[in-house]
Amino acid sequence: MKPAELRKKVTSGSCPSLVCLYGEETWQRDQLLEHIIDRIVPPDARDFNFSQFQGRQAGGRDILEQIQ
């Protein structure tokens, strides 16, 4: 899905359960990620109920531990 479509879905409250952002435009990707976080994760829940992983920097074990 194109960035504009995803932004529209997130704004309307119908964000997909899983989102994978990729592409060469890092600025656009970062802006879209910030938009998703702002719309989905309440500010007071970010310290304890929010984890963010960056592709090659995250291992499967780290992600699995957070899910559990």
Side-chain angles (χ1 to χ4, degrees):
M1 139 180 354
K2 296 192 183 251
E5 288 178 76
L6 180 56
R7 183 178 289 273
K8 190 174 183 178
K9 282 186 176 279
V10 170
T11 300
S12 71
S14 62
C15 184
S17 300
L18 178 65
V19 176
C20 178
L21 303 176
Y22 64 94
E24 295 179 17
E25 296 291 333
T26 57
W27 180 85
Q28 184 179 34
R29 197 176 58 224
D30 292 346
Q31 291 297 310
L32 187 52
L33 177 59
E34 188 175 312
H35 177 72
I36 293 169
I37 293 168
D38 287 344
R39 293 288 184 163
I40 303 287
V41 185
D44 58 339
R46 293 179 191 170
D47 288 340
F48 299 104
N49 296 317
F50 175 74
S51 298
Q52 182 177 346
F53 299 95
Q54 299 292 325
R56 293 184 183 137
Q57 298 169 350
R61 178 167 282 144
D62 297 331
I63 296 169
L64 184 60
E65 286 177 3
Q66 287 296 313
I67 292 170
Q68 293 175 338

